[in-house]
Amino acid sequence: MDIVENYKKFLAEGKTERECVSQIIQLAEKNGYKNIDNADSLHPGEKVYVCKRNKSIALFHIGTGSIEDGMNILGAHIDSPRLDVKQNPLYEKDFIVYLNTHYYGGIKKYQWVALPLALHGVVCLKDGSTVRISIGEKPEDPVFCISDILPHLAQKQMKEIASEFISGENLDVICGSTLPLPENSENKEKNKAKKAVLDILKESYGIEEKDFYSAEFEVVPAGEPRDLGFDRSLILAYGQDDRSCAYTSAQAMMDVQTASRTMCCICVDKEEIGSYGATGMGSHFMENAVAEVVARLGAYSELSVRRCLNNSCMLSSDVNSAYDPLNSDLFDKDNASFLGGGLVFQKYTGSRGKSGASDADPEFIAKLRNILDAGNVAYQFAELGKVDQGGGGTIAHLAAKYGMYVIDAGVAVLAMHAPWEITSKEDIRQAYKGYKLFLEMS
Ligand code: MN
Ligand code: MN
């Protein structure tokens, strides 16, 4: 199957970081990777993965050279903007039952109303078991939705500024309803519909209201990726930032031959909220994983781990904003990335005077140009947008602190962070090709 069709399947089945990790583990095990916990020692050609809390994963393919000479690393993130369900989420108001949410990552709140939503997540029960839930993806499933004001009554709303006319607190998801009973009815019961929803949760999943305390539910757009356009050249799908790069990076790891340098692909959580937490790139996850690998190669020392990281090269596989012809004033066209233009390199991110940027070294960039040109990979160099129009960051600066060479390299995305994001199929192919060549780089 074409990489594009596999990518669409990955997106359809990977709407949360946990679902992406479990798919990457499946893919890796099918390709000869084993859990590092089951490997006492490692030798050239062997392949292992390290998983952190089911939300981040690192894959290693051991090279024939010394680990102290460094690795070729692809680093992507597998979290995407969404709505997280709060810990006390369920309430009924005037005959409608809602799930209260708190948004995650940079979203335009008004984009999340009036469209079908799905609920994905886990509920951890006191007995130690975990219930996995996905509702809203199968055609026969119910979906969820946030309502918006009808235009007829929106005079006041339409005058407000876009960041405020849908408030974060009101991004609550409809999940049930009841018929209003006559005022004088004797059997008028408070929270009747909420009780009905709780009965369904109990019956279908064995969950009680207090179990939301130890649950992690993510509300995401419902539905599968679709081909976009008469010519089917584009993909419309949720979560392409950054799963377009995570999938192509992981797939590239599956298809490489053992090389001199050890190859690594790390897919992390929490990038969209600043890479914090034990599963984010700001944690010690990567160096701990590398230490486990170095130990199994038989010559562990802190210095070996430091040398390995310091001598590594990394592509921070993250997306860039695609040039938008209808909003061309936001872009410096000569320094913008285009849908279908191939793998996008971004020398630095940040905002204003490059604040917060990890500025990539031209020595490293020259080396990359050389292998990509030799391998006929299409690529482009771009910035996010015009100077002083805004900005953003990736995980590049967190890898750079080890002293390794790193540059952002990914897929161009139109309508980034929208519930439905747009990429070009050709860019998915070029990213995969480029990542594979980089991994095998000597
Ligand atoms: Mn990203
Ligand atoms: Mn993002």
Side-chain angles (χ1 to χ4, degrees):
M1 205 179 348
D2 178 29
I3 180 138
V4 168
E5 291 309 309
N6 284 326
Y7 166 55
K8 283 161 62 187
K9 208 164 149 271
F10 181 83
L11 289 177
E13 288 165 20
K15 293 219 173 165
T16 67
E17 49 289 324
R18 285 174 189 266
E19 290 170 357
C20 288
V21 163
S22 81
Q23 285 195 85
I24 292 169
I25 289 177
Q26 258 182 40
L27 182 69
E29 288 184 343
K30 227 188 327 176
N31 284 277
Y33 280 79
K34 55 184 180 184
N35 191 323
I36 196 161
D37 295 339
N38 303 325
D40 295 332
S41 64
L42 284 173
H43 306 92
E46 292 188 322
K47 299 181 267 188
V48 287
Y49 66 85
V50 183
C51 177
K52 183 70 177 173
R53 307 259 170 89
N54 301 318
K55 291 192 258 190
S56 288
I57 186 164
L59 307 161
F60 295 91
H61 184 149
I62 308 301
T64 54
S66 165
I67 193 75
E68 289 193 6
D69 294 340
M71 305 178 290
N72 292 342
I73 306 168
L74 292 169
H77 67 92
I78 44 178
D79 60 318
S80 294
R82 61 180 187 252
L83 308 175
D84 283 341
V85 173
K86 290 189 186 183
Q87 261 43 65
N88 291 297
L90 211 55
Y91 71 94
E92 179 173 339
K93 191 176 183 196
D94 305 330
F95 315 109
I96 294 184
V97 190
Y98 293 94
L99 274 176
N100 206 333
T101 73
H102 192 142
Y103 67 94
Y104 172 99
I107 64 165
K108 290 162 93 173
K109 283 164 262 186
Y110 67 81
Q111 293 179 334
W112 288 74
V113 298
L115 79 168
L117 300 168
L119 188 66
H120 289 243
V122 294
V123 187
C124 299
L125 300 175
K126 286 197 287 182
D127 66 6
S129 64
T130 297
V131 184
R132 277 175 190 78
I133 288 173
S134 162
I135 308 167
E137 303 296 351
K138 294 190 215 94
E140 68 271 23
D141 278 357
V143 292
F144 306 90
C145 190
I146 299 166
S147 64
D148 193 6
I149 301 169
L150 62 165
H152 316 63
L153 294 178
Q155 281 184 38
K156 183 167 164 281
Q157 184 195 38
M158 299 307 275
K159 290 192 186 102
E160 289 172 30
I161 60 168
S163 61
E164 283 163 17
F165 69 72
I166 301 287
S167 79
E169 195 50 69
N170 271 356
L171 283 176
D172 291 353
V173 179
I174 295 175
C175 68
S177 77
T178 188
L179 293 174
L181 294 164
E183 252 345 282
N184 58 358
S185 166
E186 277 174 18
N187 47 5
K188 180 165 180 173
E189 200 187 330
K190 215 173 166 261
N191 284 334
K192 194 179 170 192
K194 178 183 163 182
K195 281 187 192 113
V197 166
L198 282 169
D199 286 346
I200 293 165
L201 288 177
K202 180 76 192 165
E203 202 177 301
S204 310
Y205 307 102
I207 303 164
E208 289 172 7
E209 190 167 12
K210 287 227 157 47
D211 293 327
F212 278 107
Y213 288 163
S214 48
E216 225 166 51
F217 277 121
E218 304 180 11
V219 176
V220 297
E224 297 195 349
R226 304 291 295 266
D227 289 346
L228 175 62
F230 287 116
D231 59 3
R232 296 176 178 266
S233 59
L234 306 171
I235 301 165
L236 182 71
Y238 167 69
Q240 301 201 72
D241 173 9
D242 181 35
R243 292 165 190 153
S244 58
C245 302
Y247 174 73
T248 44
S249 293
Q251 187 60 55
M253 272 300 273
M254 301 304 128
D255 301 337
V256 287
Q257 303 297 317
T258 304
S260 153
R261 285 165 77 80
T262 290
M263 295 172 271
C264 169
C265 169
I266 179 167
C267 294
V268 287
D269 180 26
K270 297 287 183 282
E271 191 273 346
E272 295 294 358
I273 57 168
S275 295
Y276 299 104
T279 54
M281 192 63 184
S283 73
H284 293 274
F285 171 54
M286 184 162 82
E287 60 190 87
N288 287 348
V290 170
E292 295 289 348
V293 167
V294 171
R296 283 164 177 78
L297 288 169
Y300 177 81
S301 75
E302 191 195 329
L303 188 60
S304 296
V305 174
R306 284 174 184 271
R307 281 179 178 156
C308 170
L309 289 166
N310 184 62
N311 292 328
S312 288
C313 296
M314 175 162 159
L315 295 186
S316 163
S317 320
D318 206 345
V319 299
N320 190 38
S321 54
Y323 176 80
D324 180 352
L326 298 185
N327 291 286
S328 56
D329 55 320
L330 299 176
F331 297 86
D332 165 14
K333 203 170 170 184
D334 290 335
N335 288 282
S337 58
F338 292 82
L339 288 177
L343 188 60
V344 189
F345 285 97
Q346 215 178 340
K347 187 174 181 294
Y348 43 84
T349 57
S351 49
R352 301 182 307 280
K354 293 183 168 183
S355 179
S358 162
D359 210 341
D361 299 82
E363 292 85 347
F364 179 43
I365 297 173
K367 207 170 162 187
L368 293 170
R369 286 176 59 209
N370 188 36
I371 59 158
L372 296 180
D373 285 342
N376 285 318
V377 175
Y379 61 91
Q380 43 189 336
F381 277 82
E383 296 192 19
L384 187 77
K386 263 188 187 165
V387 176
D388 284 342
Q389 284 297 326
T394 62
I395 62 170
H397 70 285
L398 296 165
K401 71 185 178 184
Y402 296 110
M404 66 181 70
Y405 281 124
V406 58
I407 185 169
D408 283 299
V411 172
V413 177
L414 191 62
M416 193 199 291
H417 282 210
W420 296 92
E421 301 173 313
I422 298 163
T423 59
S424 154
K425 290 182 179 178
E426 189 52 30
D427 291 339
I428 301 299
R429 297 188 190 102
Q430 295 299 323
Y432 163 77
K433 237 171 104 179
Y435 291 157
K436 191 164 170 278
L437 284 173
F438 163 76
L439 285 171
E440 292 171 327
M441 184 177 81
S442 55

